[in-house]
Amino acid sequence: MTGGESWISDPLGVVQGLFAQRPADGDWQKNVTDYFSAKLRDSDSAAADCWKPIAPIHPCFHWPPKVPCLNDTPLHYLKPNSLVRFRCMVQDMFDPEFYMGVYETVDTNTSARVLHFGKYRDVAESLPQQEVDPDSRRNVTCERQTFYCVPVPGECPWVKDAYTSCSQAKVCASTSYAPSRQKRSYEEDEDAAPCDTRASHGLGEPKRLETEAAGAQQHLPSSCSSAPDLNFPLPGEKGPACLIKVYEGWDLFKVNDVLEVYGILSVDPALSALTEDREAVSALLDPSDDMDTLEEHRAHCPPASLVPRIHTIVTRKLQHNNPLLPPSLQGSEESKLFVSNFLSELSAVRAELLDFLSHALLGDSLAAEYLILHLISTVYARRDVLPLGKFTLNLSGCPRNGTFSELLYRVVQQLVPAAHYLPMTIENMNKLCFIPRKDYNANRLVSGLLQLSPQTSLLVDETLLEQGQLDTTGVHNVTALGNLITWQKVDYDFSYHRMEFPCNINVLVTSEGRSLLPSDCHVHLQPQMMPPNLEQYLGALLAASLPSLLNKFRTYIGLLRLLDYSISDEATKAVEDDFVEMRKNDPQSISADDLHRLLVVARLSSLSAGQTSLSREQWLRAKQLEQQRKNRLREQKHMNVNEL
């Protein structure tokens, strides 16, 4: 077995060694997964040992292994066929495809037969004097799934910076891979594919063939005459899109999951050469006969230089995307110790966060309390169609023209891992695509603005809404926003039917009066100050906040979203009795909705104090907050009536 860091620089060489040493039962594939999983664990452990003496809150909870990351490394700096990692969201899932998992070649000079593996490759490889025997009984056709993955939509700059700063991978521009080769159609002669020089093998010029087996579903590459649409859900997003080839356990993942993928990078020029040939052939055909197939190939097989392939060896579904937290709160002693240590200082962090948000909300400490509850909320379960844990906040009384809302978004963006600002103008409602839809011609899911990863913060700025007419698209978009807020689901458009996709999006609506959109809680902002220059004021607030303090806030919010919470039978009985008493005293203003909101506020208030069960103290605290909020709304309503 090769040593050093060859498992990163030459993973196919490692796989070749394991394939050559395969046991009699032929189960060599599990050995590959186990080998790389162990290497990644060892690398994590070594990095964690280096980290332990550092301060309790480090820019990254534990350092990623020395595997180059496609998120922050330009593609031309990565060595083809090396091990890379990619942090991404599953935007679409293509149909399964077949490939030659194992194939046999025959030496044209000696008639010697050799078995090769086709796993983790886009094209089969053989020496110039070797020919693939397509009729060999030892050939094995396998199946793999392809995910179209994009960088996490709305991932905040501090998250990107944290992952980049703690990466130990060292890369330099790759110059050893020359993408020059002859072009020949796969259909023309699959046994005599063009050659390509590989310096890393030192065995002359290996000959590579498409590994996709004959009779497989139509997944042959095709190129586009223009740069392809990378299908990012949010406008202005940057970063690579990738085709992720998944070999095991693909049924464990679903659309919109956030993954960390470790796999072999493939930017093989043979893919582009074959797609160009496909284009040339299609140009000679009747466009009406070949258009649907051509569009599908363009979407499913874009140029590898623009949309690289990653053949996954290890795939991890991320419970969250906060680099300051352990991957999971359960399991390792290190994670438990981290949680215990942070909870010991949580009350001080909460007080500092409350003060920070009070300043951001122009001195309004009550609005800051509710903003904390909103930021730590998350959908933790579903009961029938009802999502439990959501806490959409409508902050009314915000200054018009959007300046305050946009600046508030910049504050939120500094605290959560992923966020997006949506100016709710008539033009945006009528023109933007909110709902993902199925394109049957290209056989792909066209993304929409509401295709977001779990626990993304969405700030909807209603202060920019003016009089105007919503067209059909605008009405659908507003309806989609309402369904997202109420049911935490988005109905994707599949032309002939709608398909529900559950989601977990924290929606904050800023408005002048009460929002037109539904919400779980309405708080009217009461500024205690009005700086002459809002941008300068909030800019100074952020500039004065030390990175270490912001990291505490980020850890606080991320950790409390993950904590479990319960209500004892005793507490449940006390709440029921108290609610009955409240109804007796004020039957007109206390409803079942009020009880539900009180329970949600009590849950979030308990968690914000680091308590994972409801106490009498937190129940009374929730009642106090709700009473203050309602009194303020009544006062504001009375003021509005007097003004009229």
Side-chain angles (χ1 to χ4, degrees), residues 231-544:
N231 212 14
F232 292 150
L234 299 179
E237 290 281 282
K238 296 180 180 179
C242 289
L243 289 177
I244 306 297
K245 307 286 186 176
V246 184
Y247 292 88
E248 293 95 15
W250 57 71
D251 54 334
L252 300 176
F253 309 115
K254 59 184 183 297
V255 170
N256 302 334
D257 279 349
V258 177
L259 308 179
E260 186 175 48
V261 172
Y262 293 83
I264 298 172
L265 175 67
S266 174
V267 288
D268 202 303
L271 299 174
S272 298
L274 289 166
T275 58
E276 290 172 11
D277 286 347
R278 177 84 191 182
E279 288 281 335
V281 172
S282 298
L284 303 176
L285 302 176
D286 183 345
S288 62
D289 293 338
D290 195 54
M291 185 55 67
D292 289 352
T293 303
L294 184 57
E295 285 189 32
E296 181 173 345
H297 288 319
R298 284 176 172 172
H300 286 222
C301 301
S305 57
L306 293 176
V307 182
R309 282 65 164 160
I310 298 179
H311 295 266
T312 63
I313 299 177
V314 176
T315 306
R316 300 170 177 171
K317 179 178 175 179
L318 298 182
Q319 188 179 3
H320 62 82
N321 191 33
N322 189 330
L324 304 176
L325 299 179
S328 173
L329 300 188
Q330 292 80 31
S332 71
E333 291 300 321
E334 185 182 14
S335 298
K336 294 177 182 177
L337 180 62
F338 172 84
V339 173
S340 175
N341 288 341
F342 191 82
L343 289 179
S344 66
E345 60 172 318
L346 186 134
S347 59
V349 176
R350 189 193 193 283
E352 290 177 305
L353 177 59
L354 180 63
D355 183 66
F356 174 78
L357 292 179
S358 296
H359 281 86
L361 293 171
L362 308 178
D364 189 342
S365 58
L366 179 64
E369 287 277 6
Y370 275 92
L371 184 54
I372 289 177
L373 304 188
H374 164 76
L375 290 173
I376 67 173
S377 67
T378 185
V379 176
Y380 63 88
R382 293 180 185 268
R383 184 171 297 161
D384 296 327
V385 296
L386 183 66
L388 304 180
K390 72 184 183 73
F391 194 64
T392 297
L393 180 64
N394 172 211
L395 191 63
S396 65
C398 297
R400 282 189 63 82
N401 75 27
T403 300
F404 172 78
S405 299
E406 190 169 0
L407 293 172
L408 179 61
Y409 166 73
R410 284 169 50 185
V411 172
V412 172
Q413 195 181 30
Q414 288 291 328
L415 303 176
V416 299
H420 181 63
Y421 171 70
L422 175 60
M424 193 174 173
T425 63
I426 294 293
E427 182 181 12
N428 282 343
M429 292 297 103
N430 289 340
K431 289 187 177 181
L432 293 178
C433 176
F434 280 29
I435 303 170
R437 62 178 177 82
K438 180 73 172 183
D439 180 347
Y440 286 95
N441 288 335
N443 192 21
R444 72 165 182 169
L445 184 67
V446 178
S447 64
L449 190 142
L450 296 183
Q451 188 177 9
L452 301 171
S453 62
Q455 299 183 351
T456 298
S457 291
L458 177 64
L459 192 150
V460 180
D461 185 359
E462 203 177 291
T463 66
L464 295 172
L465 190 62
E466 297 179 347
Q467 289 187 348
Q469 186 69 38
L470 287 175
D471 59 18
T472 303
T473 300
V475 171
H476 287 164
N477 284 338
V478 172
T479 302
L481 269 177
N483 287 336
L484 167 66
I485 291 170
T486 304
W487 307 111
Q488 283 294 311
K489 69 181 180 69
V490 179
D491 295 328
Y492 289 19
D493 183 4
F494 281 74
S495 294
Y496 310 107
H497 67 283
R498 299 270 174 158
M499 185 177 294
E500 291 184 2
F501 281 73
C503 55
N504 183 8
I505 309 299
N506 281 16
V507 184
L508 172 63
V509 183
T510 57
S511 58
E512 187 179 23
R514 182 164 191 148
S515 172
L516 302 175
L517 297 169
S519 65
D520 298 304
C521 186
H522 174 206
V523 177
H524 190 81
L525 183 68
Q526 282 190 351
Q528 304 301 303
M529 65 180 87
M530 189 53 69
N533 189 320
L534 272 176
E535 186 168 1
Q536 185 177 5
Y537 170 77
L538 287 177
L541 175 65
L542 289 174

Side-chain angles (χ1 to χ4, degrees), residues 550-597:
L550 291 175
N551 279 344
K552 288 183 179 181
F553 296 162
R554 295 158 181 165
T555 304
Y556 173 90
I557 292 169
L559 179 61
L560 297 185
R561 286 179 176 180
L562 299 175
L563 289 182
D564 292 327
Y565 173 84
S566 62
I567 302 180
S568 66
D569 293 340
E570 181 182 353
T572 300
K573 181 67 168 59
V575 167
E576 290 174 350
D577 294 342
D578 197 13
F579 181 69
V580 170
E581 193 66 27
M582 291 165 63
R583 288 292 300 268
K584 285 181 181 178
N585 296 334
D586 192 0
Q588 300 299 321
S589 60
I590 303 296
S591 65
D593 288 341
D594 291 306
L595 174 61
H596 176 73
R597 187 184 305 108

Side-chain angles (χ1 to χ4, degrees), residues 169-181:
K170 293 180 173 60
V171 295
C172 58
S174 176
T175 58
S176 62
Y177 195 68
S180 59
R181 63 184 297 127

